[in-house]
Amino acid sequence: MPSNTYYNLPTTKKDKIFKMALEEFTNNSYNDASITRMVETLKIAKGSIYQYFNNKKDLYFFLIEQVSTKKLEYISSNVKFETSDFIELYKQILKIGTRFDIEYPTYSIFLSKVFSGNHDPFKNETIDSMKLMSDNYIKNLIIQARDNGQIRKDIDIELIAFFLTEITTNIGRYIMKKNDINQQKLVSNIKNDTLNIQIEKALDDTLELIKKGILA
Amino acid sequence: MPSNTYYNLPTTKKDKIFKMALEEFTNNSYNDASITRMVETLKIAKGSIYQYFNNKKDLYFFLIEQVSTKKLEYISSNVKFETSDFIELYKQILKIGTRFDIEYPTYSIFLSKVFSGNHDPFKNETIDSMKLMSDNYIKNLIIQARDNGQIRKDIDIELIAFFLTEITTNIGRYIMKKNDINQQKLVSNIKNDTLNIQIEKALDDTLELIKKGILA
DNA sequence: TTATCATATGACTATACAGTCACATTATAT
DNA sequence: ATATAATGTGACTGTATAGTCATATGATAA
């Protein structure tokens, strides 16, 4: 947990430190991420960081908690659970999630690295339980939809869940790459609808593939 | 490139070093992988490693080259290009690739880390061109299949390629996890057909989803 | 003004790493 | 047996890191 000293910091300084830390841990594995490099870039003393956070791990877990919360809030504040049509509901979640990925690419990349757990020295129960919760959430939606006769019953539910999440986890970054979207472009186009339409179309097509497959 | 000294080593020693190095670079990012730790475990002098390889990067690239070659050979030596049915051909490739992933999980995980390029300090042209080749190969298969009327024409070919590769890249490890397959089990079951049948079924179901989607 | 608390600092410690090199050991050839 | 070449060795160098701590600076309150 960060100290009060950190929370009492002027917002600009707090944000600068947060942003820098997130960048450092996004571009490097936990061990490669360097506090020393951070403080050099930020032009603050090394001791300061250790007044804000107990240690490197504390800072890292703070980032995870903040970024996860941000994404969850973003999604839950936008989803409207009005439909009982699974596909429509899933489309909503997918669109909002993808919009988040595109609006906050650093957050999205950071999270995917944390969850992939590739070069993470911590077996973190928080992360594991979040992963489990998210998996179960999707699985329950699918079970309901199957019971309602919306989804085929001849294929293992877990395989369908894998199939869905595999696609939807990475579609955001695929769209960004494909349409050559970067943060500059985003800022200047955020109110330009052409970009939004392209994204919308890619997501609709993706769902069409998920629904009906690739056969002619 | 490794030195002649390395190639002249007795096979057992050579293999031990190779295996250890692969493990080290699979379990750690490039920078976290430690030559010092390797030689301590291997109980050889640090200087020896530097008689076999120019430096850490040299060793790393050697691993990439060896492991990629192994997978390519494994696949190309097993695929029979007899069918003009895209789905059948793709199923073949998928099954062989998955079999490789399951038989050589370390190789598979190593490769996926290299290709994801997450915490890799090198922008390696070899890797990039391999990725491009592989992408183009799949894309060409899809284009042919679409021209033959086997695949729907209303959806962007690149999205279909993304859709296919996204699933097939990770299905191997999903199956392993789901069926709780580890290397011990594999060795004892490699001639036991029950495991093979489970794997076969999961792959068939995956292809069924790819072909026709999830709708009832 | 003075005393007290909060915050900032950067030199310093301990540790780990890649890579080097002068020397030791072993194998091969004469 | 002797000379030559190939291989093995580990102490050492330079560099980077996380984390510490005595001290300095700033703010606040009496």
Side-chain angles (χ1 to χ4, degrees):
Chain A
M1 267 191 357
S3 64
N4 285 329
T5 313
Y6 173 74
Y7 286 114
N8 293 336
L9 246 34
T11 315
T12 53
K13 189 171 185 181
K14 217 165 33 183
D15 286 357
K16 241 169 125 180
I17 292 168
F18 184 85
K19 221 174 156 182
M20 184 73 242
L22 187 61
E23 204 181 297
E24 187 68 20
F25 281 92
T26 302
N27 296 333
N28 303 283
S29 72
Y30 177 80
N31 286 318
D32 288 343
S34 159
I35 305 282
T36 307
R37 196 163 44 213
M38 271 183 61
V39 296
E40 272 165 9
T41 312
L42 286 168
K43 277 171 186 128
I44 63 175
K46 197 168 194 178
S48 294
I49 287 285
Y50 286 89
Q51 290 228 321
Y52 308 147
F53 303 94
N54 288 335
N55 47 40
K56 194 179 176 180
K57 185 177 170 180
D58 188 36
L59 167 57
Y60 179 61
F61 279 21
F62 175 66
L63 290 177
I64 295 178
E65 187 258 321
Q66 288 291 297
V67 175
S68 315
T69 306
K70 178 127 184 169
K71 180 155 189 180
L72 282 178
E73 275 172 2
Y74 187 96
I75 291 177
S76 65
S77 74
N78 282 287
V79 171
K80 294 160 196 61
F81 289 94
E82 277 154 12
T83 175
S84 66
D85 181 345
F86 169 74
I87 293 291
E88 278 313 307
L89 179 58
Y90 198 79
K91 190 185 277 189
Q92 259 192 63
I93 296 172
L94 180 57
K95 282 191 180 173
I96 295 158
T98 305
R99 183 154 294 282
F100 180 87
D101 290 344
I102 290 174
E103 273 181 45
Y104 305 96
T106 312
Y107 284 38
S108 160
I109 294 167
F110 174 76
L111 280 181
S112 81
K113 286 192 177 171
V114 169
F115 280 103
S116 87
N118 263 357
H119 297 305
D120 194 318
F122 307 113
K123 277 271 152 259
N124 181 261
E125 325 85 43
T126 316
I127 296 172
D128 284 349
S129 80
M130 280 177 61
K131 225 185 285 190
L132 198 67
M133 268 174 55
S134 155
D135 279 1
N136 282 340
Y137 176 72
I138 296 294
K139 224 179 282 174
N140 280 331
L141 287 183
I142 296 172
I143 289 172
Q144 266 182 271
R146 190 187 51 180
D147 291 346
N148 293 341
Q150 294 175 42
I151 287 183
R152 57 196 296 177
K153 298 190 161 125
D154 58 334
I155 286 177
D156 181 35
I157 209 92
E158 301 221 10
L159 187 63
I160 292 183
F162 162 78
F163 184 75
L164 270 172
T165 49
E166 197 60 38
I167 295 295
T168 50
T169 317
N170 297 303
I171 187 71
R173 272 191 302 281
Y174 167 76
I175 293 175
M176 284 188 76
K177 204 179 154 196
K178 166 96 202 247
N179 293 325
D180 196 33
I181 302 172
N182 51 45
Q183 235 147 349
Q184 275 72 38
K185 214 175 201 174
L186 252 175
V187 172
S188 67
N189 277 282
I190 199 91
K191 290 197 153 63
N192 178 337
D193 280 337
T194 41
L195 198 62
N196 292 337
I197 289 169
Q198 282 175 342
I199 294 168
E200 200 96 347
K201 167 127 180 48
L203 290 176
D204 284 337
D205 284 351
T206 305
L207 268 155
E208 173 64 20
L209 287 177
I210 288 173
K211 275 154 64 182
K212 297 191 197 151
I214 65 170
L215 288 194
Chain B
M1 267 192 354
S3 64
N4 286 330
T5 312
Y6 173 75
Y7 286 113
N8 292 337
L9 246 35
T11 314
T12 53
K13 189 171 186 179
K14 215 166 33 185
D15 286 356
K16 240 168 126 180
I17 293 169
F18 184 85
K19 221 174 155 180
M20 184 73 240
L22 186 61
E23 204 180 297
E24 187 67 21
F25 281 91
T26 301
N27 295 333
N28 303 284
S29 73
Y30 178 81
N31 286 319
D32 288 344
S34 158
I35 305 283
T36 307
R37 197 163 43 211
M38 270 184 60
V39 297
E40 271 164 9
T41 311
L42 287 167
K43 276 171 186 128
I44 62 175
K46 197 169 194 178
S48 294
I49 286 284
Y50 286 88
Q51 291 226 319
Y52 309 147
F53 303 95
N54 287 336
N55 49 39
K56 195 178 175 181
K57 184 177 170 181
D58 187 37
L59 167 57
Y60 180 61
F61 278 21
F62 175 65
L63 290 177
I64 295 177
E65 189 258 322
Q66 289 290 296
V67 175
S68 315
T69 306
K70 177 127 185 170
K71 181 155 189 180
L72 282 178
E73 276 172 2
Y74 188 96
I75 291 177
S76 66
S77 76
N78 282 286
V79 172
K80 293 161 197 61
F81 288 95
E82 277 155 11
T83 175
S84 66
D85 181 345
F86 169 74
I87 293 290
E88 278 312 308
L89 179 58
Y90 198 79
K91 190 184 277 188
Q92 256 193 65
I93 296 171
L94 179 57
K95 283 191 180 174
I96 294 157
T98 305
R99 182 153 295 281
F100 180 88
D101 290 344
I102 291 175
E103 273 181 44
Y104 304 96
T106 311
Y107 284 37
S108 162
I109 294 167
F110 174 76
L111 281 181
S112 81
K113 286 193 176 172
V114 169
F115 280 103
S116 86
N118 263 357
H119 296 304
D120 194 319
F122 307 112
K123 277 269 154 264
N124 180 260
E125 325 86 42
T126 317
I127 296 173
D128 285 349
S129 80
M130 279 177 62
K131 227 186 283 192
L132 198 68
M133 269 175 55
S134 156
D135 280 0
N136 282 340
Y137 175 73
I138 296 294
K139 223 178 283 175
N140 280 332
L141 287 183
I142 297 172
I143 290 172
Q144 266 182 272
R146 190 186 52 180
D147 291 346
N148 294 341
Q150 294 175 41
I151 287 183
R152 57 198 294 175
K153 298 192 162 122
D154 58 335
I155 287 180
D156 181 34
I157 208 91
E158 301 220 10
L159 187 63
I160 292 182
F162 162 78
F163 185 76
L164 271 172
T165 48
E166 197 60 38
I167 296 295
T168 50
T169 317
N170 298 302
I171 187 70
R173 271 190 303 281
Y174 167 77
I175 292 175
M176 282 188 77
K177 204 178 155 199
K178 166 98 201 243
N179 294 325
D180 194 33
I181 303 173
N182 52 42
Q183 234 147 350
Q184 276 72 38
K185 215 175 199 174
L186 251 175
V187 172
S188 68
N189 278 284
I190 199 91
K191 286 189 157 68
N192 178 337
D193 279 338
T194 42
L195 198 62
N196 291 336
I197 289 170
Q198 281 175 342
I199 295 168
E200 200 96 346
K201 168 130 180 43
L203 291 176
D204 284 336
D205 284 350
T206 304
L207 268 154
E208 174 63 21
L209 287 177
I210 289 173
K211 276 154 65 180
K212 298 191 196 152
I214 66 169
L215 289 193

